[in-house]
Amino acid sequence: MSQRPFRFLHAADLHLDDPVAGLADIPPHLVDLLVDCPLAAARRVFDAAIEQHVDFVVLAGDIVDLNRAASRELTFLVEQFERLAQKNMAVYWAGGAIDSADWPPNYSLPGNVMHASRLHVQRHRHTIDGQPICELVGRSHDRHGSPMAREFAGSSDDLFSIAVVHAKFAAGLGDLGIEYWALGGLHGPTTLHQSAQSLSHYPGSPQGRNANEAGAHLCTLVQVDEQRQVRLSPIATDVIRWESPVLALDVAADRTKLERALHDRTAQMIAESGGATLLIEWRVSCDGAIFNDLRRGKLTAELLGALRREFGNHSPAAWTVAIQPELPPGLPIRGENEETLRGDYLRAIAELLHDKPMTDSHSIHLDADSLLSEDNAAWQLPQLNHLAAALAAPAPRRRVLQQAVWLGTDLLSPEESAR
């Protein structure tokens, strides 16, 4: 059945009160941008709605933490809703884990905002010039968590149906009669399911918060045509963008080749950033002397300084956060059979690398003061700091173990062998 075409903006996981994290040292000229970027990225969402002349806006949860947000975030959100009200744009908002509580009474929501109930699924028919064009079905989280997919069903009057919900669904949404699932809960853009009858989509968060959320962050323009076919158009909104590029070097590569590759790739990323400030964590896949030089820290510090001076103070800036050599799998030396502390250490790590539980006999307690003597391993201190940061961050377990293998081997080996 043909119908009137319409368009709307789908956004989720704005997390207005959630700052950027993961920077050990914050460059002074980027402090204000880092503080303001959640609101600045959210403003781009509402700007896009107005610029694209959408019929309404869908917010699929985790917009702002209603239990901890400051006046700044709440006032900002009300102001954005009022901007949309001036354009006669409705907002359909289903709360997630952090924004399902009652709205604070000191901040009045304008009448164009429909905040879905925690108690039951609510239905709203959106009309244009008095004609219903679609039906939106939404429910916020309750004390038990997110709604179940089976709670949602399509329109009984054959209107185009849109479910608005913050939940991490796996599959099975295409058979419930909903033509577009406006989902929230994943911070990267993801189309979960697409067929001629149904489409399920996460737009992601408008702003990445750490290195685990690398790449462009977006909201999504959704256009429905006369034949009820859906077209998605991503709109970049991030003000700060994390990047984790991998740079592959051959075994004969030297410092000059590495410097040139870092320079050229950084310039390329700036050109493709769309104006976002970049925070770059390089991963360098290399071998030979350049691998050891990077791992020991001195060359890394020199390259960091050069890249920051060249690219870190422009607008838009590209600030190099880290340069890390990709560690090969397995153990750096074959010393598991040694009756030494190094042998004990390697046997323990070998078990962990093969996903075996470490027994008490392989528990190792290292005395940093005795290992980091002035004569042996002063250059290893930056590596210890890096390992501690990796263990504290949500890094993949295997990568942390690989870092532990190489650092531990350096610390427990004679100086000639380590070098």
Side-chain angles (χ1 to χ4, degrees), residues 13 163 214 346 364:
D13 298 284
L346 290 174
I364 298 175

Side-chain angles (χ1 to χ4, degrees), residues 237-282:
T237 53
D238 46 359
V239 177
I240 288 178
R241 182 174 304 168
W242 291 83
E243 296 285 4
S244 298
V246 177
L247 191 62
L249 300 176
D250 57 62
V251 68
D254 57 11
R255 173 173 178 157
T256 300
K257 185 172 182 179
L258 174 58
E259 288 178 330
R260 184 167 60 251
L262 290 169
H263 176 281
D264 293 347
R265 186 75 177 276
T266 301
Q268 179 185 356
M269 286 189 292
I270 291 174
E272 297 171 350
S273 70
T277 293
L278 302 181
L279 300 176
I280 306 174
E281 288 198 351
W282 290 97

Side-chain angles (χ1 to χ4, degrees), residues 50-382:
I50 293 172
E51 292 166 2
Q52 294 294 330
H53 304 286
V54 300
D55 296 298
F56 53 89
V57 172
V58 166
L59 298 178
D62 278 8
I63 306 305
V64 62
D65 191 331
L66 296 178
N67 293 314
R68 76 173 191 179
S71 174
R72 177 174 181 252
E73 290 87 28
L74 298 175
T75 300
F76 167 85
L77 193 56
V78 170
E79 290 174 347
Q80 301 311 306
F81 289 156
E82 290 174 345
R83 290 178 65 203
L84 298 183
Q86 294 171 3
K87 303 293 183 179
N88 295 318
M89 294 179 185
V91 178
Y92 299 98
W93 176 10
I98 67 171
D99 56 349
S100 293
D102 293 332
W103 183 257
N106 294 336
Y107 301 87
S108 298
L109 287 174
N112 63 324
V113 179
M114 274 65 74
H115 193 195
S117 170
R118 301 188 298 259
L119 304 177
H120 56 82
V121 167
Q122 289 182 308
R123 295 177 176 271
H124 294 278
R125 292 189 173 187
H126 189 83
T127 63
I128 298 178
D129 298 331
Q131 175 187 353
I133 61 167
C134 64
E135 184 173 66
L136 295 103
V137 189
R139 183 167 85 76
S140 297
H141 282 218
D142 61 18
R143 61 187 180 87
H144 300 295
S146 62
M148 304 295 289
R150 62 175 178 267
E151 298 179 48
F152 298 83
S155 169
S156 58
D157 291 339
D158 200 35
L159 289 174
F160 187 93
S161 53
I162 302 169
V164 187
V165 57
H166 187 278
K168 294 179 180 178
F169 294 131
L173 300 181
D175 302 325
L176 297 175
I178 298 293
E179 289 167 277
Y180 183 82
W181 289 85
L183 302 174
L186 298 181
H187 286 193
T190 305
T191 297
L192 185 64
H193 165 80
Q194 186 171 7
S195 68
Q197 292 76 36
S198 181
L199 193 154
S200 313
H201 180 66
Y202 293 91
S205 174
Q207 175 60 58
R209 297 312 200 278
N210 54 60
N212 294 320
E213 298 180 356
H217 282 255
L218 320 159
C219 62
T220 301
L221 175 66
V222 184
Q223 300 176 82
V224 182
D225 65 18
E226 294 90 341
Q227 304 305 317
R228 305 169 81 110
Q229 297 302 301
V230 177
R231 181 160 64 93
L232 305 180
S233 301
I235 299 175
T237 53
D238 46 359
V239 177
I240 288 178
R241 182 174 304 168
W242 291 83
E243 296 285 4
S244 298
V246 177
L247 191 62
L249 300 176
D250 57 62
V251 68
D254 57 11
R255 173 173 178 157
T256 300
K257 185 172 182 179
L258 174 58
E259 288 178 330
R260 184 167 60 251
L262 290 169
H263 176 281
D264 293 347
R265 186 75 177 276
T266 301
Q268 179 185 356
M269 286 189 292
I270 291 174
E272 297 171 350
S273 70
T277 293
L278 302 181
L279 300 176
I280 306 174
E281 288 198 351
W282 290 97
R283 292 181 294 156
V284 181
S285 177
C286 58
D287 204 347
I290 200 74
F291 171 76
N292 290 322
D293 290 342
L294 283 174
R295 195 164 55 83
R296 287 168 187 148
K298 181 179 179 182
L299 175 59
T300 301
E302 293 173 353
L303 293 173
L304 278 174
L307 288 170
R308 288 173 176 179
R309 285 190 298 273
E310 184 170 3
F311 297 106
N313 297 291
H314 299 298
S315 182
W319 185 260
T320 303
V321 177
I323 302 174
Q324 301 175 6
E326 288 284 272
L327 299 178
L331 302 178
I333 63 172
R334 292 298 173 188
E336 298 100 316
N337 297 323
E338 296 177 353
E339 292 303 323
T340 63
L341 183 58
R342 181 175 70 178
D344 290 340
Y345 181 84
L346 290 174
R347 284 189 288 273
I349 293 292
E351 289 190 8
L352 291 173
L353 283 170
H354 290 88
D355 294 322
K356 297 178 181 178
M358 187 168 70
T359 62
D360 291 340
S361 63
H362 292 128
S363 297
I364 298 175
H365 302 282
L366 301 179
D367 181 355
D369 290 335
S370 62
L371 292 171
L372 291 175
S373 66
E374 181 177 353
D375 296 333
N376 184 31
W379 57 268
Q380 294 156 343
L381 280 169

